[in-house]
């Protein structure tokens, strides 16, 4: 059986409106109480034009982008990102992705970070290069790794488009 995913395939973009609520909620959810993520006046005193999104919120949005694309059987194994331009309220974050690795051999994958087996045989490992841009430029770059069971390794068709899904 031929893999439905190929190196070089692109994921459809995901556009996320960056609201003040998203920034503050993401900071609170990740227990990041730095004032630059919730207090505009203190953020300005520290040289920022407004509050800005923290890295953990961006990390979660990248994870959502990947798992929304690959579907409910996908297991997110790793997200490694680097931030660039900040996300401020009113920005539109546009995530894009390109598949860089597809490994569907029948062997046990080893998580190189933790040196633990990844669920044994019959899984396809897929690595995606991810980028996210806003009005200032490149907000995030990185890679995400996901595994899919061979029996569910069909392209996922979400019920709604990325844009219609509430945050």
């Amino acid at each position: 059986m031929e893999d439905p995913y190929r190196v070089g395939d692109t994921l459809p973009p995901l556009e996320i409106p960056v609201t003040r609520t998203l920034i503050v909620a993401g900071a609170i959810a990740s227990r990041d109480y730095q004032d630059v993520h919730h207090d505009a006046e203190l953020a300005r005193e520290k040289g920022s034009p407004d509050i800005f999104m923290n890295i953990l919120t961006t990390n979660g949005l990248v994870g959502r982008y990947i798992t929304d694309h690959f579907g409910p059987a996908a297991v997110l194994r790793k997200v490694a990102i680097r931030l660039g331009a900040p996300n401020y309220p009113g920005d539109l974050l546009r995530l894009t992705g390109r598949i860089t690795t597809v490994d569907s051999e029948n062997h046990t994958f080893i998580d190189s970070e933790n040196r633990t087996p990844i669920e044994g045989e019959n899984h396809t490992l897929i690595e995606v290069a991810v980028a996210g841009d806003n009005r200032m430029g490149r907000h995030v770059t990185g890679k995400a790794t996901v595994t899919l069971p061979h029996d569910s390794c069909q392209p996922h068709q979400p019920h709604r488009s990325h844009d219609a899904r509430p945050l």
Side-chain angles (χ1 to χ4, degrees), residues 1-165:
M1 183 169 115
E2 189 176 312
D3 281 323
Y5 299 107
R6 292 185 180 89
V7 171
D9 287 352
T10 57
L11 281 61
L14 170 61
E15 292 186 343
I16 301 168
V18 179
T19 64
R20 192 168 299 280
T21 301
L22 175 61
I23 292 170
V24 173
I28 291 169
S30 61
R31 302 172 85 169
D32 183 346
Y33 304 116
Q34 293 292 315
D35 49 29
V36 294
H37 303 308
H38 65 85
D39 188 319
E41 185 176 322
L42 288 175
R44 281 190 285 278
E45 286 177 16
K46 293 183 177 183
S48 178
D50 205 338
I51 63 171
F52 54 90
M53 186 176 286
N54 72 352
I55 192 169
L56 295 173
T57 303
T58 299
N59 197 68
L61 293 172
V62 168
R64 169 194 159 191
Y65 176 55
I66 298 299
T67 57
D68 276 4
H69 178 75
F70 290 103
V75 177
L76 192 59
R77 295 296 176 186
K78 181 177 181 180
V79 176
I81 61 171
R82 170 174 272 160
L83 292 184
N87 264 337
Y88 294 112
D91 282 346
L92 182 68
L93 174 61
R94 185 173 194 271
L95 294 171
T96 57
R98 184 178 49 79
I99 296 176
T100 58
T101 303
V102 176
D103 186 347
S104 33
E105 297 297 317
N106 285 326
H107 57 77
T108 301
F109 297 109
I110 301 295
D111 179 340
S112 61
E113 297 278 317
N114 302 319
R115 304 301 304 160
T116 56
I118 296 178
E119 297 197 16
E121 300 176 2
N122 298 318
H123 281 75
T124 297
L125 179 135
I126 300 171
E127 186 174 77
V128 180
V130 178
D133 296 315
N134 63 28
R135 63 186 155 146
M136 294 180 66
R138 182 66 35 102
H139 170 67
V140 63
T141 56
K143 289 197 175 193
T145 305
V146 64
T147 55
L148 293 168
H150 281 272
D151 60 356
S152 68
C153 197
Q154 298 299 318
H156 176 63
Q157 299 296 323
H159 296 295
R160 297 181 280 180
S161 73
H162 282 301
D163 297 329
R165 183 171 167 216

